[in-house]
Amino acid sequence: MSTVFTAVAARVLEAPSPAPTGVGPGGIDWSRIHPDPSAVPRPELFYTFMNGLLYLGAFAAGGALMAGLIAFGVGPLFGAHIVSDRGRSMMWKGVLIGFGVGSFTAIMAFLLVKV
């Protein structure tokens, strides 16, 4: 069994027979790879869609913050301390998601800048 496994592994791991051409000694030339906004079909539709998702995410995070704030404030009035604790955790999650959604455009702009 081990000899068969060794033979199969040697066949799978051997170098390809026709050597790849056009690739330098270090592999891929990463300096030639960069985003090309002109290659995207209808980029204004893409940016409109992304802005819509951004606003949906911001409104969802704001809604989670407000729902958590209401649950945190109303829970102790009715003796529902579990609801109050969950409201507090919902507020933190809403704030963190809001920061994540708000910083997404800055992160993407940083990643897509040509060097």
Side-chain angles (χ1 to χ4, degrees), residues 7 85 101:
D85 289 340
V101 167

Side-chain angles (χ1 to χ4, degrees), residues 35-96:
D36 184 15
S38 64
V40 177
R42 298 179 61 191
E44 69 280 350
L45 179 65
F46 173 73
Y47 287 121
T48 303
F49 183 68
M50 286 294 118
N51 282 332
L53 286 178
L54 175 71
Y55 285 115
L56 271 170
F59 285 132
L65 178 64
M66 290 305 297
L69 185 65
I70 291 169
F72 181 66
V74 173
L77 295 176
F78 295 108
H81 295 288
I82 293 174
V83 173
S84 178
D85 289 340
R86 290 200 179 155
R88 183 177 56 211
S89 68
M90 195 184 313
M91 285 188 327
W92 283 110
K93 290 174 187 174
V95 167
L96 291 176

Side-chain angles (χ1 to χ4, degrees), residues 103-114:
S103 64
F104 179 72
T105 55
I107 292 169
M108 290 307 293
F110 173 75
L111 292 176
L112 293 177
V113 169
K114 289 184 182 180

